[in-house]
Amino acid sequence: QVQLVESGGGLVQAGGSLRLSCAASGRTFSNYAMGWFRQAPGKEREFVSAITRGGGSTNYADSVKGRFTISRDNALNTVYLQMNSLKPEDTATYYCAADTVFGAIQFMRGIDYWGQGTLVTVSS
């Protein structure tokens, strides 16, 4: 089992920044690709970003490219999402996820582990 705990959400004005963190425990962190997803009220959960086990490759949804950056620190068992130039449409609960298969994260298919989510609210 892998336990994932997100933190760093909150209320921010449009144009501001937040950094989300996701701390993992339970299994060898470097064995897992990691990702961030979000779900706005009344909408389906959607892919935001993914990172491979070693951090050498990343992927982003078009809606966040150039504004969000995913990174990981395998020594600290933590994945991050730096969010800049935030927009009201970024308002959502953000979830981190882990899977041994990068494609599962990238295409949101059969992901093994999810965190409980952290709420990000961007005011206009």
Side-chain angles (χ1 to χ4, degrees):
Q1 292 288 333
V2 174
Q3 292 77 43
L4 302 172
V5 179
E6 301 97 334
S7 61
L11 174 64
V12 63
Q13 288 188 334
S17 298
L18 281 175
R19 188 176 82 154
L20 306 183
S21 300
C22 173
S25 62
R27 292 277 178 92
T28 303
F29 182 65
S30 58
N31 286 346
Y32 292 85
M34 301 296 296
W36 287 96
F37 299 81
R38 66 187 182 186
Q39 187 166 15
K43 296 187 176 182
E44 294 186 351
R45 192 171 298 188
E46 64 177 6
F47 169 79
V48 174
S49 184
I51 189 166
T52 52
R53 301 176 186 186
S57 182
T58 58
N59 196 18
Y60 297 92
D62 288 343
S63 59
V64 306
K65 277 181 183 176
R67 300 188 298 122
F68 290 11
T69 302
I70 190 171
S71 63
R72 66 188 295 162
D73 187 331
N74 285 348
L76 296 179
N77 294 346
T78 303
V79 63
Y80 305 97
L81 186 69
Q82 177 66 43
M83 305 186 295
N84 299 328
S85 302
L86 282 161
K87 304 175 182 179
E89 51 263 43
D90 294 318
T91 295
T93 298
Y94 283 72
Y95 299 89
C96 77
D99 200 285
T100 55
V101 179
F102 182 72
I105 298 290
Q106 188 175 14
F107 299 109
M108 206 168 74
R109 291 178 185 168
I111 292 173
D112 288 337
Y113 303 105
W114 291 91
Q116 83 290 347
T118 185
L119 178 62
V120 172
T121 303
V122 184
S123 63
S124 57

